[in-house]
Structure formats: C-alpha cells, structure tokens
C-alpha cells in the first residue's frame, strides 16, 4: 500500500547495533518527496548503516522505517523496485567494462538484450563516458567511476536515490560534476538522500540536513537555518607569536562571541562568525593591540566547527573506523 | 585512465535519460540466473589467467606421471595415460570448484553485491548464476586436459559419446560439490582463507584416491576411505564412461557425494546469503 502523498522516507526510532556498538541509536527522519536530504556526520556516525537499512540491505534492530510509504522490512521487495543505491564504496564491477556493467543491470531489471544495450549507450553518453565505455572500470579515474556508479543507479529511473558519500575522495572538478548531476536528478523528479562529511556539500545541495553523531540526530532543519545556527563562516588567523594566543583569543571572543576554537597548533585560532562583516572588525581589533598575524582566511565552517557549535565539543576522530576497506 | 571528457553532463542529456521510459517488467528467476552466468563468463574472458592457475597443476601431473611412472605402473606411458587421464579430469574439475568459492568470497565483500541485493531480483540469483557460469570453466579446463591427453596418446574406447558423458558427469559433480565452497565463502572473511581451507578439503580427496594408482596395494584403512571418497567414485565412473563400460550404479555412486553436499550445503548457503546484517 502506498500513495503519492506519503513522505519519501519516514523513520521512527530506527536502531541497529553491532555487538556493543550502537551504530544507529534511535533516528527519526522525515524526507519530503522531490527534495534533497542531507545526512551530515563524521566517519563512524552511522550514516552508511542508516542508508543500508533504508535500502533494505540491513534489517533494523528496532524502530520502523517506511520508504515511499512502504515498510523496509515487510515490503522489502516492493521498496527495492522503486529505489536505487550508490554505495559508499564502488558499487560497480571493477573487472567489467562500463558498458558491461550497465547492460548487466539492464538485463537483470528486465530489459531485452537490445534495449539494455541502447539504454547503456544513452546513459554513458549522458554522463560523458562514451569514450571509456569499453574499458574495464578498474582503469577509470575516481570521478568517472562515480559517474558510472550513479548512471548504474539510473538504469531504471528510481523514485528515490540513495547516495552514500558521493564525492568523498574526488577532486574539485569531479565533485562539481557530481553536484550538477544530483541537482539535475532532483529537477527531474527524483528524491535524493545523500550522506556527506562536508558541511559545504550538504549546504550546496540539500534542502534539509540532519546532523548525526554516534547514531543520533543532533540537529535537523532546513540548510539555511542550520547554517545560521552555526554562524555564516569562520575566521582563521595564524599568529606570528604563539605567546600572543591567549590575548588574541580574548580579543576575538569579545568581538565575535565565544565560538573560539584552538587546535593543537598554538599559532592557529578560529572563531565562528555570526556575520562575515565581523571579520574585518576583529582583524582591526587585533592590529590595534599589536597582535601580529602571518596569515588569515575566511572560510565555511568545517564539520568540526559545526559540531562544536551544535554540541559544545569537537567531533571525535573516529578511531573505530570503517568496517570495510576503502577502494 | 584520465577523464578526457571536458563536456559536463548537461540538463538536456540527463532529462532525456531520466524521462520515465517504459519500466521493464521484472524477469523471472531463471533469466536472472542466466544473466549472472553471463557475468561469470565475462570474468573468465577478462581474467583468463584464473583458468590457467587451475589447470597448470593437473597438466603438470599428467605429463610427469605419464612419463615418470607410466612405464613402472602400467608397463608403458601409453597404457598408463588411458588409466590416468579420467582421474586427472576429476582432479581438474575438483580444483576448479575452489574458484567458485574464492570468486564469490571476493565478490560478496565488494560494493557491487550491495547493488545486487538492493535491486528487485530473485535473491539467490547472484550465487546460483555464478555457479552456473562456472560450468563453462569446468568444461574449458576439462577440454584442455583432454587435448593434452590426446597429444600424449589418450584414446577413449567409447569415443565422442564417452567424452560427452564424462563432461556432463564432471559438470554435475563440480556444481554439486562447489556448494561446500560456497558455504565457506559465506562464512570466511578473506578469499585467501577460503583458498587455504579448500585445499585442506581437496588434497586428501584427490590424493587418497584411485587417480594415480589402483588402490589394491594400499593399506586396508586407506582402501576403505577410497571406497567412499566421492572423487574416487567419480574417477571410476569416468573411466567406465570413457571405456564404454559404464554402469548405472557407478554413475549413481559418483552422484551421491555431490547430491548429499547440495542437499546439506545449498540451504545453509542460501540462509547465510539472505542474512541481512
Ligand atoms: N558490519 C559491521 N560490523 C561491525 N560494526 C559495524 C558494521 N558496520 C558499521 N559498524 C560500526 O558502526 C558505526 C557506524 O558505522 P557507519 O554506519 O559505517 O558510519 P558512517 O557511514 O557514518 O561512517 C561505526 O562505529 C562502525 O565501526
Ligand atoms: Mg559511511
């Protein structure tokens, strides 16, 4: 049973543990159809596990999840007919050529041989992969592989597409290509759930973002609101004299509020800005008391800074890492 | 390979490929299996060296045993090859079954299996299809061994009929027995461990057998093992098929092992595969 008005994704208290490790620890999500939804979180936060449960690959331990109105456990087959998954690690066959990968999926999904071949050619052309079509995927560059991976998810146009860290490890140009593709997909009516470790990516693409950490949603909302809550940017300064650090931190805090971050390097300071205009004022304050800088820059808040703003503590480096080896 | 296309994906291109064309109707389980069989063949085509690994040992043994021991064991190399070659065929196919588990294990760990699990196909199809595709490996490696045999003087009395019968039996045996290694592939972490464990199973089965010598001179306990060793039973049936003296009982005896293995291991393998962790 499903109707077009049900949300694309709806989860309540979704949970999954591996031994003692609570990979996903009670996640509630509501994703509107036709939107891009971003799951933002550091390595080990539970993004992949969440996506795998929603894509029917992993059975939840508790809670419920409905995808396009259908239950991911009880109606797994029906869900599979309407979604596609581009996994975090290449979900194409490295030993086969680009064409063979797409024809294989086309045949599995029910196209006749000729139709599968035609579909493969049309997808490869649309993704700028025609020239490489006959080469084994293991010889593809990272960006080409990602594009093929996304094309493989579109052999039959899905209603909902899961993209697990679609741009991690890509160079900026390939990243931009993937972003363009995602925007075009949504313009054409596909709903996209994407996971990412980059605030910038979530901010660029997603209509709404859920920030997750340790298997829980720690913040959720429209991208704009979320970004406003962490400030619009960050001022990084590099001191000429490490001895100035305390004085400089105090000055920055007075001008910009107490979002001052200090990392291991005593020369480096960062501060969250509610308004980018504060940056010039803060720099002037530092100059006025004679704190010399060797460098400064204005940046998007990093995921670390988002975490700091949301939780008051930095995101932990995920020492427990990934269960699978990266490609 | 560098990315030579400077042309970005354009909206018009993508809109065209996304236009909700006809949604094909899902094919049946058999069609899925055949498609995965085709995938297995593509792998053989792209990595023929895997086939080479499997046949190098049997071919070496054939040549070595025929000339080293043929005279001593059977009076002449020519007489010995008639006895040895059916055994080598059985050994080759037995070794090849390892690759079913090996390939499956490295495959299942990869992201591409996640994709197979997330599309609406008959669930066991990726595994069953890989096994079906492997019959081509069994056949190719058997044919290569046969050609070497012919060069060395192997002349089966039952001719083409015997050969075809033997190939069919070898394939049934290979598919049936490979379920052991499919189960291993689902349990064990890395392909190399699958490989090592598989050799531990196969070494006694192929060497404590009637492949190289008549077991009549072996100690009683070993003869008792050979009498129930599925590889030895296969060898006996193939010898009979090749010499035109095949009996239904020998052929059935050769199929008992693979049938039992399938009955036990196939459901286990499928349950392990379907498990959604
Ligand atoms: N198959 C598994 N077995 C054991 N632990 C796992 C498994 N999958 C994930 N985990 C653990 O669960 C946590 C969340 O992992 P994951 O969902 O992959 O996070 P993310 O995708 O956000 O990096 C991690 O601590 C990871 O080590
Ligand atoms: Mg992940």
């Amino acid at each position: 049973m499903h109707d077009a008005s049900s949300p694309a994704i709806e989860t309540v208290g979704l949970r999954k543990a591996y031994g003692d490790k609570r990979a996903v620890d009670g996640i509630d999500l509501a994703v509107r159809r036709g939107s891009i939804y971003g799951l933002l979180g550091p390595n080990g936060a539970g993004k992949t596990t969440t996506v795998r449960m929603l894509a029917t690959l992993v059975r939840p331990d508790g809670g419920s999840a409905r995808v396009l109105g259908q239950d991911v456990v009880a109606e797994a087959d029906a869900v599979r007919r309407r979604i596609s998954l581009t996994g975090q690690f290449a979900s194409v066959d490295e030993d086969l050529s680009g064409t063979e990968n797409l024809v294989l999926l086309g045949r599995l999904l029910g196209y006749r041989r000729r139709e599968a071949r035609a579909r493969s050619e049309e997808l490869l052309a649309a993704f700028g992969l025609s020239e490489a079509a006959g080469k084994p995927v293991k010889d593809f560059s990272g960006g080409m592989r990602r594009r093929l991976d996304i094309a493989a998810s579109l052999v039959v146009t899905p209603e909902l597409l899961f993209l697990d860290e679609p741009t991690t490890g890509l160079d900026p140009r390939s990243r931009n290509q993937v972003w363009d593709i995602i925007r075009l997909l949504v313009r054409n009516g596909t709903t996209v759930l994407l996971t990412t470790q980059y605030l910038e990516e979530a901010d660029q693409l997603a209509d709404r973002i859920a920030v997750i950490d340790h298997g829980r949603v720690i913040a959720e909302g429209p991208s704009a609101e979320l970004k406003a809550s962490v400030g619009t940017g960050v001022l990084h300064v590099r001191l000429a004299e490490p001895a100035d650090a305390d004085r400089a931190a105090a000055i920055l805090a007075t001008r910009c509020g107490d979002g001052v971050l200090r990392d291991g390097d005593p020369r480096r300071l960062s501060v969250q800005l509610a308004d980018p205009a504060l940056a010039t004022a803060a720099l002037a304050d530092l100059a006025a008391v004679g704190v010399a800088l060797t460098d400064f820059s204005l940046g998007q808040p990093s995921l670390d800074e988002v975490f700091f703003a949301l939780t008051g503590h930095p995101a932990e480096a995920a020492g427990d890492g990934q269960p699978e080896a990266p490609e | 390979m560098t990315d030579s296309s400077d042309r970005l994906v354009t909206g018009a291109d993508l809109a065209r490929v996304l236009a909700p064309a006809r949604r094909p109707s899902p094919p049946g389980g058999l069609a899925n299996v055949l498609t995965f069989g085709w995938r297995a063949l593509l792998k053989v085509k792209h990595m023929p060296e895997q086939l080479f690994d499997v046949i190098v040992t049997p071919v070496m043994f054939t040549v070595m045993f025929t000339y080293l021991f043929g005279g001593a064991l059977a009076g002449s190399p020519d007489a010995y090859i008639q006895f040895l070659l059916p055994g080598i065929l059985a050994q080759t196919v037995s070794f090849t079954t390892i690759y079913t588990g090996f390939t499956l294990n490295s495959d299942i760990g990869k992201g591409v299996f996640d994709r197979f699990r997330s599309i609406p196909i008959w669930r066991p199809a990726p595994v069953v299809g890989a096994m079906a595709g492997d019959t081509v490996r069994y056949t190719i490696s058997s044919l290569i061994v046969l050609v070497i045999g012919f060069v060395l003087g192997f002349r089966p009395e039952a001719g083409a009929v015997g050969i075809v019968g033997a190939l069919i039996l070898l394939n049934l045996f290979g598919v049936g027995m490979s379920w052991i290694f499919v189960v291993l592939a689902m349990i064990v972490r890395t392909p190399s461990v699958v490989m090592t464990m598989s050799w531990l199973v196969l070494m006694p089965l192929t060497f404590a057998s009637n492949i190289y010598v008549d077991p009549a001179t072996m100690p009683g306990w070993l003869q008792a093992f050979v009498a129930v060793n599925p590889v030895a039973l296969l060898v006996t049936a193939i010898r009979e098929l090749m010499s035109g003296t095949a009996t239904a009982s020998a052929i059935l005896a050769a199929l008992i092992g693979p049938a039992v293995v399938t009955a036990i291991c196939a459901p286990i393998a499928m349950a392990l595969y379907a498990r959604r962790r």
Side-chain angles (χ1 to χ4, degrees):
Chain A
M1 178 223 73
H2 61 274
D3 58 274
S5 63
S6 55
I9 299 172
E10 197 172 22
T11 74
V12 179
L14 197 59
R15 280 191 290 112
K16 178 75 195 175
Y18 292 103
D20 301 341
K21 173 86 207 171
R22 289 191 237 153
V24 172
D25 194 13
I27 282 192
D28 301 337
L29 291 177
V31 177
R32 197 173 48 77
R33 286 196 198 216
S35 66
I36 306 184
Y37 195 93
L39 284 185
L40 174 67
N43 214 350
K47 304 182 295 295
T48 297
T49 309
T50 305
V51 165
R52 287 170 60 86
M53 285 192 279
L54 295 174
T56 78
L57 298 176
V58 167
R59 185 186 287 270
D61 292 342
S64 70
R66 298 182 82 76
V67 166
L68 300 162
Q70 292 175 302
D71 188 274
V72 294
V73 177
E75 298 166 289
D77 276 328
V79 170
R80 281 182 207 125
R81 252 175 251 130
R82 303 170 68 197
I83 60 157
S84 273
L85 166 69
T86 300
Q88 180 170 3
F89 305 110
S91 33
V92 285
D93 195 326
E94 309 242 303
D95 298 323
L96 307 189
S97 71
T99 302
E100 286 165 348
N101 264 291
L102 297 187
V103 171
L104 174 73
L105 287 166
R107 296 285 288 150
L108 290 173
L109 293 169
Y111 287 111
R112 289 167 204 289
R113 200 181 304 274
R114 282 226 326 273
E115 299 169 322
R117 194 155 262 286
R119 182 70 181 154
S120 144
E121 274 165 22
E122 144 181 287
L123 281 165
L124 289 164
F127 283 81
L129 292 168
S130 296
E131 267 174 58
K135 308 247 164 61
V137 174
K138 53 169 152 306
D139 295 341
F140 279 30
S141 71
M144 292 163 70
R145 205 179 291 214
R146 262 294 138 178
R147 296 208 303 274
L148 179 68
D149 219 330
I150 296 176
S153 291
L154 304 177
V155 169
V156 170
T157 309
E159 290 171 61
L160 170 62
L161 176 62
F162 295 101
L163 296 170
D164 196 1
E165 298 201 20
T167 67
T168 301
L170 296 191
D171 58 82
R173 177 165 161 272
S174 303
R175 173 171 298 182
N176 275 312
Q177 290 185 346
V178 169
W179 285 359
D180 286 343
I181 292 169
I182 296 172
R183 291 191 186 103
L184 288 167
L185 282 172
V186 173
R187 201 176 304 155
N188 283 282
T190 301
T191 308
V192 172
L193 179 92
L194 79 97
T195 77
T196 180
Q197 302 194 29
Y198 310 117
L199 177 67
E200 190 198 356
E201 179 160 276
D203 178 44
Q204 284 279 327
L205 296 175
D207 302 302
R208 287 183 82 90
I209 299 174
V211 182
I212 63 174
D213 187 29
H214 291 112
R216 292 171 194 252
V217 176
I218 57 169
E220 204 273 346
S223 313
E225 273 178 30
L226 200 84
K227 227 184 134 191
S229 77
V230 299
T232 50
V234 175
L235 173 67
H236 303 279
V237 298
R238 193 171 166 79
L239 307 171
E241 288 302 326
D244 285 338
D246 290 334
R247 206 151 55 103
I251 290 167
L252 290 175
T254 316
R255 175 62 75 176
C256 310
D258 49 4
V260 180
L261 260 183
R262 301 169 69 166
D263 56 23
D265 181 349
R267 291 171 186 268
R268 270 176 53 90
L269 290 176
S270 312
V271 62
Q272 317 262 340
L273 300 173
D275 175 353
L278 288 173
T280 38
L283 291 172
D285 291 350
L286 290 175
V289 297
V291 173
L293 304 181
T294 58
D295 194 13
F296 67 86
S297 63
L298 192 58
Q300 286 261 342
S302 69
L303 186 54
D304 266 339
E305 287 147 358
V306 173
F307 268 77
F308 188 76
L310 292 172
T311 64
H313 67 80
E316 302 166 16
D320 46 5
Q322 291 292 326
E324 300 140 289
E327 312 137 47
Chain B
M1 180 187 304
T2 54
D3 193 346
S4 58
S5 81
D6 259 315
R7 201 182 111 239
L8 287 175
V9 180
T10 69
D13 285 337
L14 207 63
R16 192 162 31 76
V17 298
L18 288 177
R22 183 180 75 76
R23 204 162 245 275
S25 53
L30 182 64
N32 289 158
V33 168
L34 292 177
T35 305
F36 280 108
W38 174 68
R39 173 173 181 266
L41 294 193
L42 288 175
K43 298 239 162 184
V44 176
K45 185 181 113 188
H46 289 298
M47 297 173 292
E49 64 278 6
Q50 277 195 3
L51 208 54
F52 180 78
D53 284 351
V54 174
I55 57 176
V56 109
T57 321
V59 164
M60 227 169 57
F61 282 9
T62 312
V63 175
M64 205 171 71
F65 274 69
T66 305
Y67 290 112
L68 276 181
F69 308 129
L73 291 172
S76 71
D78 201 54
Y80 185 58
I81 188 87
Q82 315 304 325
F83 173 83
L84 177 67
L85 202 94
I88 293 291
L89 283 173
Q91 189 188 37
T92 308
V93 168
S94 303
F95 286 177
T96 314
T97 57
I98 296 182
Y99 270 83
T100 304
F102 179 81
T103 322
L104 211 55
N105 182 281
S106 46
D107 231 21
I108 282 179
K110 290 191 186 139
V112 67
F113 253 73
D114 273 358
R115 191 184 285 286
F116 296 152
R117 285 200 183 94
S118 71
I119 59 177
I121 52 173
W122 186 52
R123 296 232 99 195
V127 175
V128 177
M131 298 175 72
D134 281 342
T135 58
V136 174
R137 277 186 219 245
Y138 304 146
T139 306
I140 294 177
S141 43
S142 300
L143 289 175
I144 293 174
V145 169
L146 272 170
V147 167
I148 308 236
F150 288 136
V151 172
L152 297 182
F154 177 61
R155 297 289 179 272
E157 282 159 44
V161 179
I163 291 173
V164 171
L167 286 177
I168 294 174
L169 188 60
L170 285 162
N171 272 296
L172 288 173
F173 182 87
V175 170
M177 296 304 273
S178 63
W179 282 108
I180 299 183
F181 304 114
V182 174
V183 169
L184 264 183
M186 307 273 173
I187 300 172
V188 168
R189 279 206 172 265
T190 65
S192 58
V193 179
V194 176
M195 195 66 128
T196 314
M197 293 180 64
S198 305
W199 284 113
L200 285 178
V201 174
L202 276 183
M203 278 298 169
L205 286 179
T206 53
F207 286 97
S209 77
N210 54 357
I211 292 180
Y212 301 101
V213 290
D214 187 329
T217 60
M218 296 176 185
W221 58 269
L222 195 52
Q223 284 193 33
F225 176 75
V226 175
V228 296
N229 175 348
V231 175
L233 293 170
L234 173 69
V235 173
T236 305
I238 301 224
R239 284 196 180 122
E240 291 186 359
L241 281 166
M242 291 290 197
S243 63
T245 58
T247 56
S249 63
I251 292 174
L252 282 179
L255 289 173
I256 288 177
V260 170
V261 167
T262 305
I264 297 172
C265 294
I268 298 177
M270 282 305 133
L272 289 173
Y273 177 70
R275 182 175 53 158
R276 298 200 273 151
R277 275 164 301 180

